[in-house]
Amino acid sequence: MSKVQPRTLSGFMELMPARQIQFDRMMAVLRESYSLYGFTPLDTPIIEASEVLLAKGGGETEKQIYRFQKGDSDLSLRFDLTVPLAKYVAQYSGQLAFPFRRFQIGKVYRGERAQRGRFREFYQADIDIIGDGKLDISNDAEIPAIIYRTFTALGLKRFQIRVNNRKILNGFYAMLDLTHESGAIMRTVDKLDKIGAAQVKELLMAEEIGLNAEQAGEIMRFIAIDGSNAEVLQALEGYRGRHPLFDEGLDELTTVARYLAAFGVPEDHFKVDLTIARGLDYYTGTVYETTMLDHPEIGSICSGGRFDNLAEYYTDKKLPGVGISIGLTRLFFVLEDQGYLNDQLNTAPADALILPMTEDLSAAIALATQLRSAGVRTQLYGEQKKFKQKMSYADKLGVPYVIFLGEEEIASGVAAVKNMRTGEQVKVSPDEAVNLIQAGLELLNQGTPIVDKE
Amino acid sequence: MSKVQPRTLSGFMELMPARQIQFDRMMAVLRESYSLYGFTPLDTPIIEASEVLLAKGGGETEKQIYRFQKGDSDLSLRFDLTVPLAKYVAQYSGQLAFPFRRFQIGKVYRGERAQRGRFREFYQADIDIIGDGKLDISNDAEIPAIIYRTFTALGLKRFQIRVNNRKILNGFYAMLDLTHESGAIMRTVDKLDKIGAAQVKELLMAEEIGLNAEQAGEIMRFIAIDGSNAEVLQALEGYRGRHPLFDEGLDELTTVARYLAAFGVPEDHFKVDLTIARGLDYYTGTVYETTMLDHPEIGSICSGGRFDNLAEYYTDKKLPGVGISIGLTRLFFVLEDQGYLNDQLNTAPADALILPMTEDLSAAIALATQLRSAGVRTQLYGEQKKFKQKMSYADKLGVPYVIFLGEEEIASGVAAVKNMRTGEQVKVSPDEAVNLIQAGLELLNQGTPIVDKE
């Protein structure tokens, strides 16, 4: 028979078993962390009517979308989890309690140009809090707490959540009568890290934007505001009273910063940063980015913000909200690439592997059943192979415990349990084997999915 | 702005939050159960190259497939989890340890005619054990153990795993020199429940199949074999020695039945049933079906079997295996429809909801942080609303505990904790609140996702 070459599409992550277990472990931490903060899981379809998914229309997204005809239907694969959320909330608003807090971890699709570390199918892990008409600012302070808790539970240590407020930026530009130019100015200011302050100022005064020296100076002074969160907020107080939008933004940012300690976020993991704007017009208040201190080059690993209107394309209902998204597939790729994954944790499909040394498997099966009843993930090797091949299988799996069961052990009601990491082997009763393995696993599973520097 | 009607495609399940939590709870049980038996999780792409996915080609499947062009690529959405497994194993066989045991729980797509209880996007939950060249029969006995453990952990009680072996059937027809007619005969025999024995016999002797009275009689006697597993196996021994394939199948089935007790499967949940054949030519040995005793009309809720060659379209490597699949979305639909879901378990997004009675939220936030640190899933209601609206939110969520925190409580270092199921309210310290809620949750979360009759 002629064969088809088995292959996986470019831009689609497909992991080897051990890596998959590491990925799943990260997802489990995210689910647990999001749940701890009172978010409910949602699982919307991957396919939606194109008319619904592209209601907002236009932009980069539409070019990248996986869109196709099936029968009479014009269908598209979701490209993020926000639009499906907007659809869901608009569709079922009568049945939901607001604020509606949901998390969703799911695959999304974008036909981007394939390149290393970029994916066409990737997981996003989103949380959003949606209000009905209004949503209190305290919710904006809770988001960094969730990010902090989540990344800490994953094992990440050297990261920083950077926060700003679009109202402060927009209010500031309104003060200078530069509302119209604010987009171009922000895009230029965004290059600060790359090209330096002098060149940014030059660009601001160049023909395209055309600020005068005073305006450019004001902007350069503003974006130079730095220091502790208290110092930055203090410096911003100097602008109070010049524009109501600015004052509103400053009040919000001050409240967010004030509540953070009670939410358990240490000061050194949270930074008020006036250079954060987030490209999307979608955000109207608080904005967040999260950077790995040792890898600024990979950009933000968790971003989001406050928006005024989640679902204006579907409903007249005003649905403000605040949320964040982690691009999990890309994050996992980076963590693997940079050696952050904790390879000390068990990545074998089982905790214990029973190698029967008899032809009849009844005793080995009974032992497997006992171990499983005690919660020990157990494999039973039932193949009639040579001892060497059996051990080679155990080594390949990387299973932490191997249990040998021969005629002699069966006759004396014991099993030979070998700790594959230490090489130590003992003959014990099945009950003792359970205790021994469970104690060992407790030690083994203590670490976090990620290992970061202190 | 003109609005787009938010809607979900027909044939796509989208659940309300409480139902989603019930669905997720079932998935968690499946993951845990499959892991306990030493299966490793896989997560293959939803999109594959059509050439790869349709390597086998033909049949009903191809008509139902979601297939489309993106740029130069001819792409398809997976319609099951078996073909992606075959691709995976063929592609990475050099890196895998055999027997390779994997589970996968994921969405698959079939453009079936939409009707009640049929889905176009649905979850399958599969386990498979793949051997390299050979795979011991003990694996076939382990599968019913996994099904039994999984459904029992879900809370299902009145179900039966029905097992047969294709070699017995094929061997039997070979004895009668009816190998060529065996497909048509089995399709006819399959109607037994519907049309009765007399009519089956009549059809077997009708022109299309054209058996003589002796042959039809042999078949009717064979499919009438019934009784305890031991009795059925005993009756089958009467045919031994007439065809080697039959003898091989009988040996296998006998071994499977013999190992089941050691695997912990009670006799009343397992039935040797000679009428089970499974439609697919794919299966070559053991075959499984699982029925709900009180709902035979919904058919098998978990099916599978032994196959000789997983990936013959991709590789010359002989990869025999055995596996089963649960159609999770359809099963969930049926369970909901028939009132099997346990609505007593907590389906709220949180265990505790804090209702602050002060404008400043610092104390409420600190309490939320403490509860979360103790593992209590906590929501903080930060909206400035009237008391009645706050309570209505709590009621809508169905949250088991509400915590009131006013000036007075804050001043005396306590919180008012209300058990929403009993109505009981106590003022206690934050530490006591944690203990109280944790003890209550332990009771509350004791049940299984499904409630079945005894």
Side-chain angles (χ1 to χ4, degrees), chain A residues 30-307:
Chain A
L30 260 56
R31 268 199 299 269
E32 200 212 317
S33 188
Y34 291 169
S35 297
L36 206 51
Y37 284 79
F39 290 81
T40 200
L42 274 197
D43 180 15
T44 63
I46 284 174
I47 309 179
E48 302 272 5
S50 298
E51 178 205 31
V52 172
L53 207 61
L54 301 172
K56 192 175 176 179
E60 251 331 273
T61 316
E62 195 149 355
K63 271 181 263 170
Q64 297 179 346
I65 209 154
Y66 285 84
R67 181 175 183 169
F68 56 93
Q69 204 74 20
K70 173 84 179 161
D72 295 334
S73 307
D74 178 0
L75 305 175
S76 292
L77 305 189
R78 66 186 180 206
F79 53 90
D80 70 8
L81 301 176
T82 307
V83 175
L85 171 66
K87 183 212 77 169
Y88 186 91
V89 175
Q91 191 172 342
Y92 308 112
S93 64
Q95 300 167 63
L96 301 174
F98 291 93
F100 176 59
R101 299 162 73 98
R102 84 87 179 78
F103 76 86
Q104 184 163 4
I105 302 175
K107 288 178 170 178
V108 303
Y109 296 82
R110 294 186 196 169
E112 291 197 78
R113 199 162 56 83
Q115 51 180 309
R116 188 165 186 280
R118 288 275 161 198
F119 297 92
R120 291 172 173 170
E121 175 185 72
F122 57 98
Y123 276 96
Q124 285 194 333
D126 283 21
I127 48 171
D128 288 278
I129 310 171
I130 310 300
D132 181 4
K134 278 174 79 171
L135 184 70
D136 194 77
I137 186 69
S138 59
N139 294 287
D140 296 46
E142 199 171 22
I143 296 288
I146 304 166
I147 303 178
Y148 173 74
R149 200 272 173 198
T150 302
F151 282 122
T152 301
L154 286 172
L156 215 56
K157 292 184 173 125
R158 296 189 37 73
F159 68 93
Q160 193 170 51
I161 306 159
R162 300 155 84 190
V163 180
N164 195 8
N165 191 302
R166 287 289 291 256
K167 290 177 187 169
I168 289 180
L169 298 181
N170 293 336
F172 172 73
Y173 292 113
M175 278 178 213
L176 303 182
D177 260 336
L178 292 171
T179 296
H180 188 70
E181 293 82 1
S182 66
I185 295 172
M186 284 195 248
R187 276 191 296 279
T188 307
V189 166
D190 225 27
K191 297 177 185 155
L192 189 65
D193 282 350
K194 278 193 195 147
I195 63 176
Q199 191 138 16
V200 164
K201 191 171 179 186
E202 215 166 281
L203 281 173
L204 290 177
M205 297 174 66
E207 204 170 346
E208 210 186 320
I209 304 181
L211 304 190
N212 62 38
E214 196 193 334
Q215 290 170 321
E218 279 260 37
I219 290 168
M220 296 315 292
R221 268 191 301 282
F222 184 81
I223 61 173
I225 295 173
D226 202 359
S228 71
N229 294 335
E231 284 164 355
V232 172
L233 291 171
Q234 191 52 49
L236 291 174
E237 286 296 336
Y239 293 85
R240 194 181 279 280
R242 289 172 61 185
H243 196 281
L245 189 63
F246 180 94
D247 293 359
E248 199 182 314
L250 181 52
D251 286 344
E252 290 182 3
L253 191 56
T254 304
T255 304
V256 167
R258 183 165 66 86
Y259 281 147
L260 276 178
F263 269 125
V265 182
E267 167 97 13
D268 64 345
H269 280 74
F270 177 84
K271 186 174 171 55
V272 174
D273 183 337
L274 300 179
T275 67
I276 303 290
R278 304 297 306 151
L280 298 162
D281 286 335
Y282 184 59
Y283 295 117
T284 51
T286 312
V287 283
Y288 314 96
E289 290 192 354
T290 312
T291 45
M292 290 174 70
L293 294 178
D294 300 318
H295 294 283
E297 77 281 3
I298 64 173
S300 175
I301 57 172
C302 177
S303 316
R306 158 75 72 143
F307 41 87

Side-chain angles (χ1 to χ4, degrees), chain B residues 19 74 238 337 339 357 359 390 411 430 435:
Chain B
R19 283 279 180 252
D74 178 359
D337 200 45
M357 299 297 160
E359 202 170 312
K390 290 179 179 176
N435 291 339

Side-chain angles (χ1 to χ4, degrees), chain B residues 114-135:
Chain B
Q115 51 179 311
R116 187 164 187 281
R118 287 274 161 200
F119 297 92
R120 292 173 172 170
E121 175 184 72
F122 57 97
Y123 277 95
Q124 285 194 333
D126 283 22
I127 48 172
D128 288 279
I129 309 172
I130 309 300
D132 181 3
K134 278 175 80 172
L135 184 71

